[in-house]
Amino acid sequence: MEKIIIEKSPPLHGRVRVSGAKNAALPILAASLLGTEDIILEDVPNLKDVEIMCEVLKSLGSEVVYLDTNTIKINSKNLNNYETRYELMNKMRASFLVMGPLLTRLGKTKNSLPGGCAIGARPIDLHLKGFRALGAEVVQNEDNVFAYSDKLMGGMIYLDFPSVGATENIMMAATMAQGETIIDNAAMEPEIVDLSNFLNKLGADIRGAGTSTIKIRGVKHLGGAKHSIIPDRIEAGTLMVGAAISKGDVIVENVITSHMKPVSAKLRECGCTVEEGIDSIRVVGNDHLTAIDIKTMPYPGFPTDMQAQFMALMTVLEGTSTVIETVFENRFMHVEELKKMGADITVEERAATIIGKDKLFGAEVKATDLRAGAAMVLAGIIAEGKTIIDEIYHIDRGYDRIEEKFRKLGANIYRQEF
């Protein structure tokens, strides 16, 4: 079993390139089921979740070939299976995103209920509501969801919450539905825009992605395309916080700066210098950084996927910081791990109060979920002594070679087999 070992490190310095976005790659891989010609995806992150999604595609009849570490060729012309295997679905929640493409391509789909990080209830009811609005019959029991339709029809769909996954799944299902589909109160994340751009390259007719209203005019056929995955804004944010927490000076490359506005704003607010280039951001963590407050919100608000990393930073800011988590009700599992390192944090329902300390101390901790694992890495970089992180498979689900990137910036971090 591998663990990540970190010893107190000097301030991080240098340049580091961000990988393609996990949260864009997974729905685009699922959407590849819709095309009947060769699809080439570039800048795909080398992650466990990507590997699982590729296995899902293969199990459904797609040909999936790695052209190199970060380039994948997919051909779904001979798609022949509408049922996803439990052992694959149970490993990763995003595997549920194949349901929309299968429903519109094959007319039916059967899926186990999705797994993934245990960060709270993430119901699929909005996905199913969308499918029903398109004319599908949906049957659900404790273990599986089965949806079928002779022909999907465009419709009006209002999402009670701007769910990213539901927006993506409905958007994909609607690409070949007859007529026009309108998704109102749609999620506006950059990953939605990237999925829309990819689908339009295949021949779809989608307008409005990135706004709260998305219009999809159904087409009869989708082909092939070449597409590069957008940079990972959460990985970029994690590296930016690394510069701040270590009081370093880091240039993060391959960044879409507009995607980073909430993170950049909060880093400036606590006292960091943040300079934006054309496709890079420089962060300088100054000597005296002061407390801040964050409240997670759907995009373009502060991302819930950056909450744990910022909490690690808050443990050493001067003063008292607060975090309000509005997206997931169980996303404070990293608090107990940070407290093992000397952090002063109290939690009441969905609010956390963090009193900044002069220093943290190395400890044996675990990655309770993907982003919590990143928070442990950040805390370990500045903690006195040695930090040992267990259950790092969570980290590997969302970060492409995280220890190599931090080591390149000067962190004392490595993997070790136990």
Side-chain angles (χ1 to χ4, degrees):
M1 178 174 58
E2 281 190 329
K3 298 183 182 183
I4 288 179
I5 314 297
I6 311 171
E7 298 177 8
K8 182 175 172 60
S9 303
L12 302 182
H13 283 84
R15 294 175 174 266
V16 61
R17 185 185 186 277
V18 172
S19 299
K22 167 204 164 183
N23 290 337
L26 296 178
I28 286 173
L29 282 165
S32 298
L33 293 169
L34 294 165
T36 57
E37 300 169 27
D38 282 350
I39 290 168
I40 306 292
L41 299 180
E42 299 174 327
D43 216 3
V44 181
N46 185 18
L47 303 172
K48 188 65 178 177
D49 275 12
V50 168
E51 180 184 321
I52 294 169
M53 184 62 86
C54 288
E55 288 301 313
V56 171
L57 298 187
K58 290 177 184 177
S59 75
L60 297 171
S62 297
E63 295 179 13
V64 181
V65 178
Y66 275 85
L67 302 182
D68 59 45
T69 306
N70 301 110
T71 306
I72 302 176
K73 182 171 79 168
I74 303 160
N75 191 302
S76 300
K77 180 180 179 180
N78 297 318
L79 193 66
N80 56 17
N81 185 11
Y82 65 89
E83 186 171 353
T84 50
R85 299 205 311 263
Y86 168 79
E87 63 268 25
L88 292 174
M89 293 294 290
N90 193 49
K91 290 180 181 178
M92 181 183 64
R93 180 176 179 81
S95 51
F96 194 71
L97 291 171
V98 302
M99 195 169 186
L102 290 173
L103 181 58
T104 197
R105 177 89 190 272
L106 298 180
K108 54 187 174 180
T109 176
K110 184 178 180 181
N111 297 269
S112 302
L113 294 177
C117 284
I119 56 177
R122 295 188 281 179
I124 58 170
D125 55 326
L126 293 179
H127 301 241
L128 305 185
K129 172 183 176 180
F131 298 152
R132 289 189 177 103
L134 297 176
E137 295 289 332
V138 179
V139 180
Q140 182 179 359
N141 59 33
E142 291 182 0
D143 301 316
N144 299 294
V145 179
F146 179 53
Y148 59 95
S149 173
D150 290 335
K151 181 62 182 177
L152 296 179
M153 304 292 293
M156 292 280 296
I157 301 163
Y158 175 80
L159 297 180
D160 301 304
F161 177 83
S163 161
V164 174
T167 301
E168 292 168 340
N169 229 341
I170 296 165
M171 191 161 69
M172 290 185 284
T175 54
M176 291 192 285
Q178 187 173 322
E180 185 176 69
T181 298
I182 297 176
I183 307 174
D184 207 4
N185 198 31
M188 299 188 289
E189 272 74 358
E191 294 79 15
I192 301 284
V193 178
D194 203 29
L195 175 60
S196 172
N197 290 340
F198 169 70
L199 289 169
N200 284 338
K201 286 181 182 179
L202 297 184
D205 185 353
I206 302 172
R207 291 164 290 152
T211 75
S212 61
T213 301
I214 299 176
K215 296 181 180 180
I216 308 105
R217 194 178 300 275
V219 298
K220 292 183 178 180
H221 171 81
L222 294 175
K226 178 183 280 190
H227 183 78
S228 291
I229 305 296
I230 59 171
D232 194 318
R233 60 194 172 99
I234 306 303
E235 182 185 293
T238 302
L239 293 164
M240 290 165 68
V241 173
I245 199 170
S246 70
K247 296 181 168 56
D249 184 348
V250 173
I251 297 174
V252 182
E253 299 176 322
N254 190 38
V255 177
I256 299 175
T257 57
S258 62
H259 294 175
M260 306 308 303
K261 285 182 179 179
V263 170
S264 296
K266 285 300 175 181
L267 288 176
R268 288 190 179 105
E269 189 177 321
C270 76
C272 293
T273 300
V274 181
E275 300 173 354
E276 296 181 357
I278 296 173
D279 59 356
S280 65
I281 297 179
R282 180 189 181 195
V283 178
V284 181
N286 297 312
D287 286 337
H288 296 288
L289 301 181
T290 56
I292 53 173
D293 301 324
I294 64 171
K295 180 179 182 180
T296 65
M297 297 287 286
Y299 191 86
F302 188 91
T304 181
D305 279 352
M306 283 301 304
Q307 182 253 104
Q309 300 92 309
F310 262 80
M311 191 179 291
L313 172 63
M314 291 170 173
T315 64
V316 291
L317 295 180
E318 296 176 6
T320 300
S321 302
T322 60
V323 173
I324 298 175
E325 174 60 58
T326 74
V327 180
F328 295 123
E329 77 278 7
N330 195 28
R331 205 160 202 178
F332 283 145
M333 292 188 293
H334 48 278
V335 168
E336 291 305 314
E337 305 306 306
L338 288 170
K339 288 168 79 169
K340 292 177 184 177
M341 303 177 75
D344 186 343
I345 307 171
T346 55
V347 175
E348 187 172 341
E349 296 182 347
R350 293 197 180 200
T353 302
I354 305 96
I355 300 175
K357 294 288 196 74
D358 289 336
K359 60 182 66 175
L360 298 177
F361 299 91
E364 292 194 21
V365 295
K366 60 184 178 182
T368 53
D369 61 67
L370 167 55
R371 306 307 174 183
M376 295 305 107
V377 170
L378 293 167
I381 287 171
I382 61 163
E384 300 289 336
K386 181 183 291 186
T387 299
I388 302 173
I389 307 175
D390 199 0
E391 299 183 16
I392 63 172
Y393 60 88
H394 283 299
I395 299 174
D396 292 339
R397 286 186 47 240
Y399 288 93
D400 187 350
R401 299 167 291 116
I402 191 171
E403 75 281 3
E404 291 182 25
K405 290 175 180 175
F406 276 110
R407 192 161 56 240
K408 182 179 179 182
L409 297 174
N412 297 320
I413 179 172
Y414 55 94
R415 288 177 185 244
Q416 185 171 318
E417 193 76 32
F418 282 80

